[in-house]
Every structure is written in C-alpha cells, then in structure tokens.
Amino acid sequence: MTEAVVLAMLCAVAVGVLLRYDWSGWRRRRAVVADWAAQRGWRYVARDQRWEGLLPGFPFDRGMFPRAQNVLTGAFGPYAAAAFDYSYRSDSRNDFLIAQRFGVHVLRVPAALPWVHLSPETLADRAAKLLGAQDIDFESEEFNRVYRVQASDRRFASDLVNPRTMELLMQCGAPDLRVYGRHLVVVTAGRLDLDLVDTALTLLAGVCGNLPSFVWSERGVAPPPPLAWRSPS
C-alpha cells in the first residue's frame, strides 16, 4: 500500500469523524432552537432554502454550499420577523472543511426600500476609500469613523441614517445593518445567539420607526405603528 493511498484513507476517516461530530452537534442545536420557537409561538424549520439566495452582499455572496438552518419566523410587534443560522463552506481548498457561520435577523417592513449597507469600517475599507470606493459621509465624524455606508439612493440613505438612528446604532455597538427591499437585516458573526434575537429585532424596529413619515407616504403605505423598546445596556 503506497504512502499516497494511506494518506487518502486517513483523510477520509478524518472527514467522516468530523461530519459525524458536526451532525451530532446540529441535532442538539436544532432541539434547542425548536424549543425556543415553541415557547414563543413561532414557526421552526430545520432548513429553508429561500433565504439562501434572497439577500445580497456578504456573507450571502461568498463560498459554496450555503445553508439557512434553524429558521425561526413569527410576529414581532407589528412586524413579520425571521432569524436563522447561516453558513457556507470556503471555496479555498485549505479551509473547505471549516464552516463560516453567521446569525441573521430580519424584519419585514411595509414597503420596498432602496438598498443600503451600513458595515463597521475596517482597515481595508479605509484603504479602499482612498482609492475611490463608494462611501457616504454624514455630519457625525464619530459615525463616519465607525461605519462605511453604501447605498443605491443617497437621498434615502440620508433619510435612513438620521441623528436618532446614528445614536441608536452607536449605542448598540455599531452592528452590521442593511436594507434590501422589504427586509431590514442585522448580521452577526458566529451562529445565531437566541439570547440576542429580541435585541437585534428591537434595533431594527427602532431604525424603521426613526424613518421620516414621508418615506412611507411616498410609497403609498402608512408608517408602521410604534413598537415600545428599551435601548440595550
């Protein structure tokens, strides 16, 4: 038996062990999330492929074998809401076995809105801006240092990122937030944290509630009713 054959067999065994461990962990995870949904009166499904190609941008445009799993859907005040585990496999051969995991929180709003992405700024973003990459600056220098803002409609971005929403986002630790059609979305690193679902959805409801009323009247719908909420400590 050649060295190459032995190495291939050892790799196959390692992959098998990894997959069995991963499946066992996901079974336990599914039970916990399903129980959370049952207590809230929400719907739970183990996987919903509709979410795997619905949203644009990172992390939804990366890697291979996307998975929207442990999908929770239900009412959050006057809104329809969803939260789920999202993962993909790296397209790098060296990192293929490592699943990249995220928690996704979604609030459905009364009318379709232009695309906006507010992402915490990185060193790479700052370098890209020096080379002319798109970014929208606002009156708050602190906000501009923390966030990179990209948008298909600069006027709507200004309506969205008003002083109250700037303050709210900064109070909440500058989460990654995007608007896409009728979806307001917060994406967090790592798998979905059930203890933070309400916090993330409350943040999105606050952002929606801070939009000027004319944003909705221009689209022929009434503003969503206010949702009582408390800023996270």
Side-chain angles (χ1 to χ4, degrees):
M1 186 177 296
T2 67
E3 182 179 343
V5 172
V6 172
L7 181 60
M9 292 176 63
L10 290 174
C11 288
V13 171
V15 170
V17 171
L18 178 63
L19 291 176
R20 283 196 296 272
Y21 176 80
D22 193 50
W23 173 245
S24 175
W26 272 113
R27 287 182 63 185
R28 293 192 296 271
R29 169 75 171 161
R30 288 174 177 176
V32 170
V33 180
D35 182 64
W36 186 96
Q39 293 182 32
R40 291 284 294 263
W42 280 30
R43 181 172 179 261
Y44 167 83
V45 294
R47 182 182 177 191
D48 190 339
Q49 291 177 285
R50 292 174 297 178
W51 290 108
E52 294 170 4
L54 180 63
L55 301 172
F58 179 81
F60 308 103
D61 60 354
R62 302 292 176 88
M64 300 181 293
F65 307 114
R67 295 288 187 274
Q69 296 176 299
N70 296 317
V71 180
L72 301 161
T73 52
F76 190 77
Y79 303 95
F84 54 91
D85 284 310
Y86 182 82
S87 66
Y88 67 84
R89 298 282 176 177
S90 172
D91 50 14
S92 166
R93 183 170 59 182
N94 293 333
D95 298 328
F96 176 74
L97 293 178
I98 302 174
Q100 308 298 318
R101 304 190 189 280
F102 303 87
V104 182
H105 315 79
V106 185
L107 211 65
R108 185 172 173 83
V109 297
L113 301 172
W115 169 79
V116 181
H117 188 183
L118 287 76
S119 55
E121 192 168 84
T122 64
L123 291 175
D125 290 331
R126 292 169 191 166
K129 284 199 293 186
L130 292 175
L131 297 174
Q134 182 193 28
D135 189 25
I136 302 173
D137 287 333
F138 297 88
E139 293 182 1
S140 169
E141 293 185 7
E142 181 184 10
F143 185 86
N144 293 333
R145 284 195 301 269
V146 172
Y147 269 113
R148 181 185 182 193
V149 181
Q150 301 167 276
S152 61
D153 183 330
R154 294 178 70 95
R155 178 197 169 200
F156 174 72
S158 296
D159 295 334
L160 175 75
V161 188
N162 54 58
R164 288 186 300 171
T165 291
M166 282 191 229
E167 181 181 1
L168 172 60
L169 293 172
M170 299 297 281
Q171 287 177 353
C172 294
D176 182 296
L177 184 144
R178 77 254 339 241
V179 181
Y180 181 66
R182 294 189 65 179
H183 301 101
L184 267 61
V185 184
V186 162
V187 178
T188 55
R191 69 182 187 181
L192 182 71
D193 186 337
L194 296 175
D195 291 334
L196 296 180
V197 170
D198 284 341
T199 299
L201 295 179
T202 296
L203 166 65
L204 291 172
V207 171
C208 185
N210 287 342
L211 281 168
S213 59
F214 64 76
V215 167
W216 307 111
S217 61
E218 288 177 352
R219 291 163 174 80
V221 298
L227 174 70
W229 71 285
R230 182 176 59 188
S231 177
S233 57

